[in-house]
């Protein structure tokens, strides 16, 4: 997590230096007044579709942060490529996923458990999103109606499971870090709509989460709120 924050800070500092080059404080002041949605932060509810019957999940959460470069095509239309990171955490109810490297099985599988604690499947991706944007206010993304559709490609940086157990009335946390079952890449369709710097967004993965889908074939989707600016 510290590496991700450090990388984001480096990327942000690079783009910030570019934006302020030759303009000093006047450029910074203008950037605050006339946003082009350079920074995009998303908080989502995530879910897996295609789970076996009876398998339920809890309050799943996702968090994405992207730096986008807005290129105008027409007064109200622009295209914006970017880079950033996306995380997702899926909480299984009454089931667990064996993600250990010691598992000889070649396919991911869920097994039921009587554990009253929590079981989480977490992933972190390095994403490259591209959006086609519409803004009613062509000069300032902080005002008026706006909408965007796009795609993003992601590379899996980390996948792990975490289980909270109660052993002899003591809290025990077991964590397994392994990408062996997971696809190294994800591709997703995205859309968002909002007023000023706040709005709603959604995304749907176009490929499955796991490499071998013969027994388990979920696909991830997200809905949530976003904040944009700069």
């Amino acid at each position: 997590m510290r590496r991700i924050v450090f990388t984001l800070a480096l990327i942000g500092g690079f783009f910030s230096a570019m934006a302020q080059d030759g303009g000093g404080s006047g450029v910074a002041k203008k950037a605050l007044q006339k946003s082009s949605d350079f920074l995009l932060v998303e908080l989502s509810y995530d879910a897996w579709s295609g789970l076996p019957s009876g398998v339920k999940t809890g309050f799943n959460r996702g968090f994405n942060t992207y730096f986008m470069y807005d290129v105008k095509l027409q007064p109200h239309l622009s295209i914006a490529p970017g880079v950033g990171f996306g995380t997702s955490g899926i909480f299984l109810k009454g089931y667990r996923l064996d993600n250990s490297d010691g598992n000889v099985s070649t396919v991911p599988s869920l097994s039921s458990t009587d554990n009253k604690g929590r079981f989480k499947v977490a992933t972190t991706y390095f994403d490259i999103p591209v959006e086609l944007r519409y803004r009613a206010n062509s000069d300032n993304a902080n005002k008026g109606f706006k909408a965007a559709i796009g795609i993003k490609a992601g590379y899996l940086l980390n996948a792990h499971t975490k289980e909270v157990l109660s052993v002899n009335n003591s809290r025990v946390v077991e964590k397994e870090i392994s990408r062996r079952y997971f696809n190294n890449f994800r591709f997703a369709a995205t859309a968002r709509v909002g007023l000023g710097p706040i709005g709603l967004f959604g995304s749907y993965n176009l490929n499955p989460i796991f490499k071998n889908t013969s027994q388990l074939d979920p696909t991830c989707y997200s809905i949530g709120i976003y904040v944009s600016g700069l």
Side-chain angles (χ1 to χ4, degrees):
M1 185 65 185
R2 283 177 292 184
R3 281 188 241 171
I4 292 176
V5 173
F6 179 70
T7 304
L8 287 172
L10 284 179
I11 296 173
F14 172 74
F15 281 110
S16 178
M18 289 181 60
Q20 295 182 21
D21 183 30
S25 60
V27 174
K29 184 177 180 181
K30 184 177 179 181
L32 291 174
Q33 294 173 346
K34 293 191 175 182
S35 166
S36 59
D37 280 356
F38 167 67
L39 176 64
L40 184 63
V41 178
E42 300 174 338
L43 182 64
S44 66
Y45 168 80
D46 292 1
W48 285 359
S49 63
L51 284 172
S53 177
V55 178
K56 296 182 179 180
T57 61
F59 184 61
N60 314 311
R61 300 181 289 275
F63 179 79
N64 309 314
T65 305
Y66 301 122
F67 296 101
M68 313 287 287
Y69 188 76
D70 194 76
V71 180
K72 273 196 175 183
L73 302 176
Q74 296 178 4
H76 298 281
L77 288 178
S78 64
I79 188 169
V83 294
F85 296 92
T87 65
S88 178
I90 303 295
F91 294 87
L92 300 175
K93 289 184 176 181
Y95 284 83
R96 70 184 311 277
L97 173 72
D98 188 350
N99 193 42
S100 65
D101 286 323
N103 187 354
V104 296
S105 175
T106 60
V107 297
S109 60
L110 291 174
S111 59
S112 60
T113 174
D114 294 330
N115 173 31
K116 302 300 182 182
R118 300 182 301 168
F119 189 90
K120 178 183 179 182
V121 182
T123 51
T124 301
Y125 291 86
F126 173 76
D127 286 329
I128 300 177
V130 180
E131 289 186 336
L132 179 64
R133 296 172 166 180
Y134 169 82
R135 287 199 293 264
N137 188 320
S138 60
D139 294 325
N140 190 350
N142 278 338
K143 296 180 180 180
F145 172 81
K146 59 187 179 183
I149 58 172
I151 58 173
K152 64 181 176 182
Y155 177 75
L156 182 65
L157 297 177
N158 177 274
H160 68 267
T161 60
K162 187 169 79 171
E163 188 171 14
V164 180
L165 303 166
S166 178
V167 179
N168 296 327
N169 295 322
S170 298
R171 183 176 181 270
V172 176
V173 178
E174 292 186 352
K175 187 175 182 179
E176 295 177 347
I177 302 175
S178 175
R179 301 186 301 171
R180 62 173 306 191
Y181 295 134
F182 293 80
N183 272 320
N184 287 327
F185 296 93
R186 72 169 176 181
F187 304 94
T190 64
R192 60 189 182 94
V193 61
L195 288 173
I198 301 174
L200 304 175
F201 84 95
S203 69
Y204 189 87
N205 281 19
L206 303 177
N207 63 321
I209 298 168
F210 300 113
K211 296 176 182 177
N212 191 324
T213 59
S214 60
Q215 294 184 20
L216 189 62
D217 188 17
T219 301
C220 187
Y221 65 90
S222 305
I223 54 174
I225 61 174
Y226 75 84
V227 177
S228 61
L230 302 182

